[in-house]
Amino acid sequence: MTDTHVQTTVPAPPSAPTWHRSAAAPLLTPLGLLTVLLGAALPMIDFFIVNVALPSIDHDLHAGPAMLEMVVAGYGVAYAMLLVLGGRLGDMIGRRRVFLWSLASFGVTSLACGLAPNAWSLVAARVAQGAASALLLPQVLATIQASTTGRRRAKAVSLYGGTAGVSSALGQVLGGLLIAADLAGSGWRAVFLVNVPIAAAAWLLSVRTVPETRSPHPSRVDGPGTALLALALVTLLLPLTEGRAAGWPLWSWVLLGVFPFAAAAFAVVERRAERAGRTPLVPPSLLRIRSVHSGLSLIVPFSVGFGGFMFVVAVALQNGLRYGPFAAGLALAPLCAAYFFASLAGPRLVQRFGRRVVITGSLIQGTGLAALALTVRAGWPDVSVAGLAPGMTVLGLGQGLVLPVLMRIVLSELPVTQAGVGGGVMVTSQQSGLALGVATLGSLFLALVPAVGIRDALLAALLTQLAIVAGTTLLGLRLPRAVR
């Protein structure tokens, strides 16, 4: 099928950015929106689906703690490192084209994960899968931005935000179900192999339903910026994820020492590139837009808490409460359902109440965390799935009111020519936060277990996340009062 390249309208000056499409730009149909959201769900599910599979992978491949963390970290680091580049490539050569290529790559790398004969092969396949995900996800937001407008865009962005949260929780629910079902004796391998037919179906739908869009003035890839951003993310996320399991060797401290210099060099190079009239990977002017910097300042800590919570709960339920993989996943189903329904209500609520939706959602999230902490403290070690359900439901309700609205705020004032890079920056911030949460809250939990036991280590992680939520509630006061 021949691609139809769409030229979007050149935006107004930075002081008054606009999101209007050109008259020739095709609309994203409901089926097209469903297709790109399915493409967005795959990478998000896959970041979390492996959590409940780790004990089975360890038993089957004799992986050991350090290698298991590499299975998680390899995907997360590659994912976070290449997201902004993925957004830029879509702007340059066509978002639908990159979406199709990355969907195919995701399916192939998922097959490689499912067939991995040993732990090192699995880690390598996970890194490749993370790279494919990084190219796939930015095309979703950019396509929505370039082919919708007005209320349709607001609803689509809110559905994207809902997909982000629901997919994260659904990943562990689905993972537990697949492992418990043990389809054809596949065990943990099914959590990767299930992606292959889904990616194939999404690819076929994309060919017919997703319009081609690109930036009207694409710029070259920022090589120095890309290299420095990759260096900064690797030197931060790799030692924080692997350092504890490896016993904090010298290399982990060296990498952490390099991080601030890499981050500072990245900021300097990007600032100079923009002043020279070139297009940097992350334009500093983008971060000066109020909706962008205020929204990202909440998305990062929210994602740190969310990523850490999902990892810690998966381990605590299986190793502490002796839940099987299915029960451990099922315990998160109330969170998943509540998040979904709250994210659907978000578009109407934010039109009326503005940023107060985020602040209220954050307070509800804190209430859910406190309820879970009290349930664990009082009922351990006999806490049932039903006993966890009220706290999980309240937690999911709060989170569903926070993340989708924050994503809408970040994207609300972006000029259309920066749709790809803006979406890439936002998702990179979210993904880096998720990986950082696994590294920090996960390491805190695992470090405390030998000394105080799983229950108290879990309580410490929950209370730490509660402190993060208190901080994000206060940061919510910096958001724009009204949301476009």
Side-chain angles (χ1 to χ4, degrees):
M1 177 176 291
T2 302
D3 291 341
T4 302
H5 300 299
V6 177
Q7 299 298 318
T8 49
T9 303
V10 178
S15 59
T18 180
W19 280 107
H20 296 298
R21 298 177 304 110
S22 67
L27 287 171
L28 183 65
T29 65
L31 183 57
L33 176 60
L34 177 64
T35 302
V36 295
L37 290 179
L38 177 60
L42 286 172
M44 298 175 190
I45 287 174
D46 231 64
F47 183 86
F48 291 97
I49 198 171
V50 74
N51 284 346
V52 292
L54 292 176
S56 300
I57 293 172
D58 186 20
H59 179 268
D60 189 20
L61 301 183
H62 309 289
M67 193 62 68
L68 289 177
E69 291 199 35
M70 279 294 289
V71 171
V72 178
Y75 180 90
V77 171
Y79 192 3
M81 194 169 64
L82 296 173
L83 273 165
V84 179
L85 178 61
R88 178 62 53 83
L89 289 175
D91 288 347
M92 290 173 57
I93 64 177
R95 292 152 188 153
R96 175 175 173 270
R97 181 174 299 173
V98 176
F99 187 78
L100 290 171
W101 276 104
S102 51
L103 261 179
S105 300
F106 185 85
V108 170
T109 53
S110 295
L111 180 63
C113 289
L115 300 179
N118 53 57
W120 278 112
S121 299
L122 178 58
V123 169
R126 283 283 285 175
V127 170
Q129 189 185 41
S133 299
L135 298 181
L136 174 63
L137 198 58
Q139 315 317 321
V140 176
L141 274 173
T143 297
I144 289 172
Q145 302 285 31
S147 56
T148 59
T149 188
R151 291 186 177 180
R152 293 185 73 251
R153 176 180 294 126
K155 182 178 180 180
V157 172
S158 295
L159 286 172
Y160 172 88
T163 301
V166 170
S167 298
S168 303
L170 182 62
Q172 296 191 187
V173 176
L174 180 61
L177 177 62
L178 288 171
I179 295 170
D182 193 24
L183 302 173
S186 58
W188 61 267
R189 297 179 186 275
V191 305
F192 299 114
L193 296 176
V194 71
N195 293 331
V196 179
I198 297 175
W203 193 94
L204 292 173
L205 283 171
S206 301
V207 170
R208 294 184 175 274
T209 64
V210 177
E212 179 66 287
T213 62
R214 64 175 68 192
S215 172
H217 304 290
S219 54
R220 295 181 178 179
V221 172
D222 175 14
T226 301
L228 285 171
L229 178 62
L231 180 63
L233 289 173
V234 168
T235 53
L236 175 65
L237 296 178
L238 188 59
L240 286 179
T241 305
E242 286 299 298
R244 185 204 59 82
W248 296 108
L250 178 61
W251 64 262
S252 63
W253 295 108
V254 170
L255 288 180
L256 285 174
V258 170
F259 166 70
F261 296 100
F266 173 71
V268 169
V269 166
E270 298 298 273
R271 192 179 301 116
R272 287 179 177 174
E274 190 166 51
R275 286 176 179 172
R278 300 189 298 272
T279 304
L281 188 69
V282 181
S285 59
L286 188 76
L287 302 179
R288 288 195 290 270
I289 299 173
R290 185 186 178 193
S291 63
V292 175
H293 70 72
S294 62
L296 291 180
S297 69
L298 271 77
I299 284 178
V300 171
F302 176 92
S303 300
V304 168
F306 189 85
F309 173 84
M310 299 298 282
F311 177 82
V312 167
V313 165
V315 175
L317 294 184
Q318 292 186 79
N319 293 347
L321 295 178
R322 302 299 175 187
Y323 285 10
F326 177 65
L330 188 63
L332 291 165
L335 183 153
C336 182
Y339 188 111
F340 177 71
F341 287 112
S343 67
L344 292 180
R348 290 187 294 272
L349 292 174
V350 78
Q351 287 179 355
R352 182 175 180 182
F353 299 108
R355 71 183 183 190
R356 284 178 287 178
V357 175
V358 174
I359 296 171
T360 302
S362 191
L363 292 172
I364 295 173
Q365 181 187 6
T367 303
L369 285 169
L372 282 175
L374 291 173
T375 301
V376 168
R377 187 177 186 277
W380 195 275
D382 300 313
V383 182
S384 65
V385 171
L388 292 172
M392 289 288 186
T393 302
V394 176
L395 179 60
L397 178 64
Q399 291 173 337
L401 292 175
V402 173
L403 185 59
V405 176
L406 285 178
M407 289 182 167
R408 179 174 170 184
I409 289 172
V410 169
L411 299 171
S412 63
E413 298 176 3
L414 282 176
V416 71
T417 49
Q418 293 182 315
V421 69
V425 169
M426 184 182 73
V427 181
T428 296
S429 301
Q430 180 195 12
Q431 183 62 36
S432 298
L434 291 173
L436 192 59
V438 173
T440 53
L441 288 181
S443 293
L444 171 68
F445 170 77
L446 294 173
L448 288 175
V449 166
V452 302
I454 292 180
R455 188 200 75 162
D456 289 348
L458 175 59
L459 288 174
L462 291 175
L463 294 177
T464 302
Q465 187 184 357
L466 187 57
I468 294 172
V469 169
T472 57
T473 304
L474 294 176
L475 286 172
L477 298 173
R478 299 175 62 243
L479 294 171
R481 290 182 178 274
V483 181
R484 297 182 183 182

